[in-house]
Coordinates of all heavy atoms in Angstrom, one line a residue:
Chain L
Q4 N -13.7 -2.6 -8.5 CA -12.4 -2.7 -7.8 C -11.3 -2.3 -8.7 O -11.4 -2.5 -10.0 CB -12.2 -4.1 -7.2 CG -12.4 -5.2 -8.1 CD -12.5 -6.6 -7.5 OE1 -12.9 -7.5 -8.1 NE2 -12.0 -6.6 -6.2
E38 N 15.7 15.9 -8.2 CA 14.6 14.9 -8.5 C 14.4 14.9 -10.0 O 14.3 15.9 -10.6 CB 13.3 15.3 -7.7 CG 12.2 14.3 -8.0 CD 11.0 14.4 -7.1 OE1 10.9 15.5 -6.4 OE2 10.2 13.5 -7.0
F44 N 6.2 5.2 -19.6 CA 6.5 4.2 -20.6 C 7.7 4.6 -21.4 O 8.0 5.7 -21.6 CB 5.4 3.8 -21.5 CG 4.7 5.0 -22.1 CD1 5.1 5.5 -23.3 CD2 3.5 5.6 -21.5 CE1 4.4 6.6 -23.9 CE2 2.9 6.6 -22.1 CZ 3.3 7.2 -23.2
F47 N 10.1 -0.2 -25.9 CA 10.4 -1.6 -25.5 C 11.8 -1.9 -25.6 O 12.4 -2.6 -24.8 CB 9.4 -2.6 -26.1 CG 9.7 -4.0 -25.7 CD1 9.2 -4.4 -24.4 CD2 10.4 -4.8 -26.5 CE1 9.4 -5.7 -24.0 CE2 10.6 -6.1 -26.0 CZ 10.2 -6.6 -24.8
Y99 N 21.0 12.2 -9.3 CA 19.6 12.2 -9.5 C 18.9 11.4 -8.5 O 19.4 10.3 -8.0 CB 19.2 11.7 -10.9 CG 19.6 12.6 -12.0 CD1 19.7 12.0 -13.3 CD2 19.7 13.9 -11.9 CE1 20.0 12.8 -14.4 CE2 19.9 14.7 -13.0 CZ 20.1 14.1 -14.3 OH 20.4 14.9 -15.3
K210 N 30.4 -27.7 -7.6 CA 30.9 -26.3 -7.7 C 30.1 -25.5 -6.6 O 30.7 -24.6 -6.0 CB 30.6 -25.8 -9.1 CG 31.6 -26.4 -10.1 CD 31.3 -26.0 -11.5 CE 32.2 -26.7 -12.5 NZ 31.7 -26.6 -13.9
D212 N 29.1 -26.5 -3.7 CA 29.7 -26.8 -2.5 C 31.0 -26.1 -2.3 O 31.3 -25.5 -1.2 CB 29.8 -28.3 -2.3 CG 28.5 -29.0 -2.0 OD1 27.5 -28.3 -1.5 OD2 28.3 -30.2 -2.3
N222 N 37.2 -16.7 3.3 CA 38.5 -16.6 2.7 C 38.4 -15.8 1.3 O 38.2 -16.5 0.4 CB 39.1 -18.0 2.5 CG 40.5 -18.0 2.0 OD1 41.1 -16.9 2.0 ND2 40.9 -19.1 1.6
L231 N 36.3 -3.2 -1.4 CA 35.1 -3.3 -0.5 C 35.4 -2.7 0.9 O 34.6 -2.0 1.5 CB 34.6 -4.8 -0.4 CG 33.3 -5.0 0.3 CD1 32.2 -4.2 -0.4 CD2 33.0 -6.5 0.3
K237 N 35.0 4.2 4.4 CA 34.5 5.6 4.0 C 33.1 5.8 4.6 O 32.7 6.8 5.1 CB 34.5 5.8 2.5 CG 35.9 5.7 1.9 CD 36.7 6.8 2.2 CE 38.1 6.7 1.6 NZ 39.1 7.7 2.1
S253 N 27.2 -14.0 0.3 CA 26.1 -14.7 -0.4 C 25.2 -13.6 -1.0 O 24.2 -14.1 -1.8 CB 25.3 -15.6 0.6 OG 24.6 -14.8 1.4
G277 N 12.9 -10.3 4.0 CA 13.6 -9.9 2.8 C 14.1 -8.5 2.7 O 13.9 -7.7 3.7
R308 N 6.9 -1.9 0.4 CA 7.4 -3.0 1.2 C 8.0 -2.5 2.6 O 7.8 -3.1 3.6 CB 8.6 -3.6 0.4 CG 8.8 -5.1 0.6 CD 9.8 -5.6 -0.3 NE 9.2 -6.2 -1.4 CZ 9.8 -7.0 -2.2 NH1 11.1 -7.4 -2.0 NH2 9.2 -7.6 -3.3
Y328 N -14.5 23.9 12.5 CA -15.8 23.7 11.9 C -16.8 24.8 12.4 O -16.9 24.9 13.6 CB -16.3 22.3 12.1 CG -17.5 21.9 11.2 CD1 -17.2 21.2 10.0 CD2 -18.8 22.3 11.5 CE1 -18.3 20.9 9.2 CE2 -19.8 21.9 10.7 CZ -19.6 21.2 9.5 OH -20.6 20.8 8.7
D350 N -7.7 34.0 6.2 CA -6.7 34.2 7.1 C -5.8 33.0 7.2 O -4.8 33.0 8.0 CB -7.3 34.5 8.5 CG -8.0 35.8 8.6 OD1 -7.6 36.7 7.8 OD2 -8.8 36.0 9.5
T356 N -17.6 24.2 7.0 CA -18.8 24.5 7.6 C -19.9 23.6 7.0 O -19.7 22.9 6.1 CB -19.2 26.0 7.4 OG1 -20.4 26.3 8.3 CG2 -19.5 26.4 6.0
L367 N -22.5 18.2 14.9 CA -21.4 17.8 15.9 C -21.1 16.4 15.7 O -19.9 16.0 15.8 CB -22.0 18.0 17.4 CG -22.1 19.4 17.8 CD1 -23.0 19.6 19.1 CD2 -20.8 20.1 18.0
G382 N -25.0 31.5 16.6 CA -26.4 31.6 16.6 C -26.8 33.0 16.9 O -26.0 33.9 17.0
V391 N -18.5 34.3 19.4 CA -18.9 33.0 19.0 C -18.6 32.0 20.2 O -17.9 32.4 21.1 CB -18.0 32.5 17.8 CG1 -18.3 33.3 16.5 CG2 -16.5 32.5 18.2

Side-chain angles (χ1 to χ4, degrees):
Chain L
Q4 55 190 163
E38 184 167 13
F44 49 87
F47 179 77
Y99 286 158
K210 288 174 187 167
D212 287 336
N222 184 10
L231 187 58
K237 300 287 178 193
S253 73
R308 213 173 265 199
Y328 194 96
D350 290 338
T356 189
L367 287 168
V391 294

